[in-house]
Amino acid sequence: MSIDSTEDLFVSGLKHAYYTEQQLVDALDELEQTSSSEELKSGFAEHREETKTHVDRIEQVFDQLDADAEAQEDPVVEGMIQAHEEFMDQDPSDQAIDRFNIAAGQKSEHYEIATYGNLIPMADQLGMDDAADLLEETLREEQDELDTLSEKGEQFDYGELEASN
């Protein structure tokens, strides 16, 4: 696909966002399963359900474009998934996994925030007010999740991590 217009760039970004959200549904399940903290498990499960809503919203935007919802692989997302797999292969302690999972969640939230932060102005420029509103709602949820994960990271007890070594 040749990208020659704002709409082409928007559709390309939307395809990447669609792929990202779809992959994160599975990745959040993995984060939930590998975390030892019940609080983290619960948070990842809740965000997985919210992420399914994000997938639905992107499908609504594709509908508004009268286009088929299509995902385009995103190497950034693949890299984050691979980093988690490689970390888990090192047989880390439960506490190290919990802290790594918090950081992995933060990284993905930053990436999603950047993605939506770029898509929204394009939707606005294209006169797609309803699409912009849907994407803005998702952006706010991603920002809220980042705040939650950042708070968990700040409260993480590194003493427990040191004691497990």
Side-chain angles (χ1 to χ4, degrees):
M1 170 180 157
S2 176
I3 297 179
D4 298 323
S5 66
T6 302
E7 185 172 348
D8 293 343
L9 187 59
F10 179 72
V11 170
S12 176
L14 200 59
K15 289 177 180 181
H16 283 278
Y18 191 49
Y19 179 83
T20 299
E21 296 291 6
Q22 288 176 325
Q23 293 303 306
L24 287 176
V25 169
D26 294 336
L28 286 162
D29 183 57
E30 176 72 15
L31 294 177
E32 177 190 358
Q33 298 305 317
T34 59
S35 293
S36 64
S37 159
E38 288 304 316
E39 181 183 7
L40 280 179
K41 285 178 177 287
S42 175
F44 287 132
E46 288 174 23
H47 194 56
R48 183 178 63 247
E49 293 308 309
E50 188 175 80
T51 300
K52 290 177 183 178
T53 303
H54 300 169
V55 170
D56 292 340
R57 285 188 195 132
I58 292 173
E59 289 171 350
Q60 291 175 46
V61 174
F62 275 114
D63 286 345
Q64 291 174 15
L65 288 165
D66 198 28
D68 292 332
E70 182 182 335
Q72 186 174 349
E73 187 173 312
D74 190 317
V76 172
V77 174
E78 291 303 310
M80 286 190 277
I81 291 168
Q82 182 180 352
H84 190 269
E85 290 170 357
E86 289 173 1
F87 177 77
M88 293 303 292
D89 286 345
Q90 297 175 39
D91 195 29
S93 69
D94 287 347
Q95 291 78 20
I97 293 169
D98 286 351
R99 186 59 185 102
F100 187 89
N101 287 350
I102 292 168
Q106 288 173 299
K107 288 176 187 178
S108 69
E109 295 307 325
H110 278 287
Y111 185 65
E112 290 173 287
I113 289 166
T115 298
Y116 291 109
N118 284 293
L119 288 173
I120 293 164
M122 284 189 273
D124 285 334
Q125 184 175 352
L126 293 167
M128 299 182 64
D129 296 339
D130 292 340
D133 290 345
L134 288 168
L135 298 171
E136 179 72 37
E137 187 174 357
T138 299
L139 175 62
R140 282 192 304 274
E141 290 171 356
E142 302 294 9
Q143 290 168 328
D144 289 345
E145 183 63 18
L146 176 60
D147 290 345
T148 298
L149 287 166
S150 294
E151 186 176 303
K152 289 182 190 326
E154 290 169 7
Q155 295 171 350
F156 189 81
D157 185 353
Y158 287 95
E160 286 183 27
L161 186 57
E162 294 298 320
S164 68
N165 287 332

